[in-house]
Amino acid sequence: MKNQKFLLFISLIILSLTLFSFLSLSYVHDLTLIIHFYSPQKPKTNTFQFEGNPTHVYYVNITTGYFSLNVNSAIVVPPSIYGQYLIITTSGPMDMQTRSLNEMLGCVIAVNINNGKIIWKDVFPNQIMTQPIIVNGTVVVGLGNAYFINSTIRGNGTNAIVAINIENGKEIWNFSTLGEDMPTPVYYNGNIIEPNGNGCIYAINLLTGTLSWKTKIYSYVSMSSPVLVNGSMYFGSAYPYVFFAINASNGKILWDDNFTALYNNYCVHGLDDSSPAYSNGIVTTSFTLLNNSNSSMVSDMLTAINATSGRILWVLNEGVGSIPPNLESPPEVIYNGTVFQDTPSVGILYAVNLTTGKVIWEIDTGPTTSNIDIYNNYVMIQNSTGTLFIINNGKITEETQLGVMPGPGNLLITRNSIILVGINGEIESIPLKVFQLPS
């Protein structure tokens, strides 16, 4: 009897321990799931236009890992971030001697923002020079190149606007166009809006990939990514060289400035390259004027325009230099009432009062197609050889040679890092703390 009670007691203990063990393991398992489910997520930041906002001060409020990789293909424009995804677009290998792109090849690459590992990669039959537009997990890019079909249509081969699922890289829809789609489009009111190399503006429904509206303008657009402000978009075009303000709801032209007519004694270039910036009712853009006495030289011109009326407020001659091989007029950046621009011909970074056009300071950085970024009031820019300049109140505080050779776009600054991408295929995420910057 005692043995039976003892055995029963032992059995109850074993059963209790088993149940406790089962419950404990179940609890731990469930807790693990809960912790995983509620673990801090990377913020999913939409990108509606080139460099994220009208001023082109490019900052994403996210913490990243530090890494370096090379994708063996030219990265012409800045990347975009959405959650854990760093989305890169490429344009095939670049001839670094001539700075030319000669292959009909482009890729969209998703990189893990924490460790730099490639998550997925899509290959397309033409170059991709658009920064990825990202709206709620849908990535939109444009295909196109700088070659001409004829005197009025730029971009041969396969030209299209393409939508991609950010989680798996699968194509959602593909909208074909006649002429290149090199400018970064904007997203507005459910539509992806793209001015292109056929002298058209296309508004494409983001969900369906169908045409919402189309406007024919009388010149083509190269790399002038529109700036979007309060339902209006602004960009430059070529042959003739015209700067447009467009109603983003219906495609109607609000006003235009014909620079070819304004400068009828000169040959205008570059207006179709410059991605304009906007602040406080003023839109800035840039262009070049061919030197009449020397056809290999151009004058770099920076201008400010009243965004409501189209009235030109001022024009600044930034100097004379050799005609660059590709893009002539890089994007502008506006910060605290100052517009910043550097050029690939003259290579002088100007800080100019946005309202008056008066030069605040200027620094010789060497030729570049890149534009500046801002961190705690410090100006940062790379020149075409990869040298990074850090500037405070018009004085260089640091000059560092990096392995990234930039295209016509910006550094990307996060909470803890600077992300650089280059035409030599290099991608680097570098800690901010390695530079001499205020915290």
Side-chain angles (χ1 to χ4, degrees):
M1 188 69 172
K2 288 182 178 179
N3 288 338
Q4 289 178 339
K5 287 183 178 180
F6 179 76
L7 290 172
L8 179 62
F9 177 73
I10 294 298
S11 298
L12 288 171
I13 290 174
I14 292 171
L15 179 62
S16 298
L17 288 172
T18 302
L19 287 171
F20 179 78
S21 176
F22 174 77
L23 290 172
S24 298
L25 288 172
S26 298
Y27 174 74
V28 171
H29 178 67
D30 289 342
L31 184 60
T32 303
L33 289 176
I34 290 170
I35 290 172
H36 175 71
F37 184 77
Y38 289 106
S39 62
Q41 301 292 309
K42 298 290 186 185
K44 296 179 177 179
T45 306
N46 289 321
T47 301
F48 290 163
Q49 62 182 303
F50 181 70
E51 296 183 336
N53 64 83
T55 67
H56 295 167
V57 176
Y58 197 17
Y59 173 83
V60 178
N61 188 22
I62 194 172
T63 301
T64 76
Y66 307 123
F67 51 84
S68 175
L69 70 153
N70 194 299
V71 294
N72 300 311
S73 191
I75 306 168
V76 176
V77 288
S80 299
I81 293 177
Y82 185 86
Q84 68 170 328
Y85 300 95
L86 177 70
I87 305 297
I88 305 287
T89 56
T90 72
S91 302
M94 175 170 278
D95 184 326
M96 298 307 294
Q97 296 296 320
T98 62
R99 297 295 174 99
S100 59
L101 297 165
N102 301 314
E103 292 189 25
M104 299 296 187
L105 176 67
C107 294
V108 181
I109 303 172
V111 176
N112 188 306
I113 198 71
N114 299 305
N115 55 30
K117 302 295 184 183
I118 293 176
I119 302 170
W120 53 258
K121 175 181 177 180
D122 288 346
V123 181
F124 293 91
N126 211 336
Q127 298 162 13
I128 303 177
M129 302 189 199
T130 61
Q131 179 180 344
I133 295 297
I134 306 177
V135 183
N136 300 330
T138 297
V139 179
V140 180
V141 299
L143 278 58
N145 59 62
Y147 299 106
F148 285 87
I149 296 175
N150 55 44
S151 60
T152 59
I153 301 176
R154 189 171 202 175
N156 61 15
T158 302
N159 301 303
I161 304 294
V162 182
I164 301 166
N165 185 309
I166 199 168
E167 293 184 354
N168 53 32
K170 291 184 178 179
E171 187 175 299
I172 301 171
W173 52 257
N174 184 310
F175 185 92
S176 296
T177 64
L178 178 64
E180 45 78 9
D181 297 295
M182 296 192 300
T184 299
V186 300
Y187 171 78
Y188 180 73
N189 198 26
N191 289 320
I192 295 294
I193 308 174
E194 170 78 341
N196 88 329
N198 185 34
C200 289
I201 309 168
Y202 296 94
I204 306 160
N205 185 286
L206 177 67
L207 298 179
T208 65
T210 56
L211 185 67
S212 297
W213 53 259
K214 174 183 172 182
T215 297
K216 180 69 176 175
I217 55 177
Y218 40 90
S219 46
Y220 64 82
V221 185
S222 298
M223 287 291 288
S224 182
S225 298
V227 62
L228 176 69
V229 184
N230 299 326
S232 298
M233 51 187 283
Y234 308 87
F235 59 89
S237 64
Y239 289 101
Y241 285 86
V242 179
F243 192 80
F244 287 98
I246 303 291
N247 185 320
S249 296
N250 54 30
K252 291 185 178 180
I253 298 173
L254 300 173
W255 52 259
D256 61 73
D257 288 333
N258 189 325
F259 281 78
T260 296
L262 288 170
Y263 291 89
N264 58 4
N265 292 325
Y266 297 88
C267 185
V268 179
H269 289 281
L271 189 70
D272 56 320
D273 286 335
S274 179
S275 297
Y278 171 97
S279 180
N280 294 327
I282 297 175
V283 61
T284 61
T285 190
S286 53
F287 58 99
T288 62
L289 296 176
L290 192 65
N291 192 311
N292 287 334
S293 61
N294 187 339
S295 60
S296 67
M297 306 293 284
V298 291
S299 297
D300 291 325
M301 313 295 287
L302 177 65
T303 186
I305 304 169
N306 183 297
T308 303
S309 65
R311 181 172 64 90
I312 295 174
L313 303 175
W314 52 261
V315 179
L316 173 69
N317 189 328
E318 299 174 306
V320 177
S322 299
I323 297 177
N326 295 306
L327 184 132
E328 292 190 32
S329 300
E332 296 80 37
V333 175
I334 302 173
Y335 178 73
N336 281 355
T338 301
V339 55
F340 299 88
Q341 202 213 18
D342 209 329
T343 65
S345 49
V346 177
I348 293 177
L349 173 61
Y350 281 87
V352 182
N353 184 289
L354 177 64
T355 305
T356 65
K358 291 183 178 180
V359 176
I360 301 169
W361 53 257
E362 58 187 87
I363 290 177
D364 186 355
T365 58
T368 186
T369 59
S370 183
N371 58 341
I372 66 116
D373 210 347
I374 301 286
Y375 180 77
N376 283 351
N377 295 317
Y378 278 59
V379 173
M380 309 177 75
I381 190 170
Q382 271 192 294
N383 68 15
S384 60
T385 65
T387 302
L388 175 69
F389 296 88
I390 299 177
I391 300 162
N392 182 33
N393 292 325
K395 305 293 182 183
I396 296 173
T397 62
E398 188 171 353
E399 189 174 331
T400 305
Q401 183 66 40
L402 299 173
V404 177
M405 302 175 72
N410 211 332
L411 313 168
L412 195 170
I413 297 177
T414 73
R415 291 177 191 165
N416 65 311
S417 64
I418 301 175
I419 298 176
L420 307 100
V421 298
I423 55 176
N424 57 346
E426 197 70 24
I427 304 170
E428 293 186 7
S429 176
I430 304 172
L432 278 168
K433 61 185 178 183
V434 306
F435 301 104
Q436 299 172 20
L437 293 165
S439 58

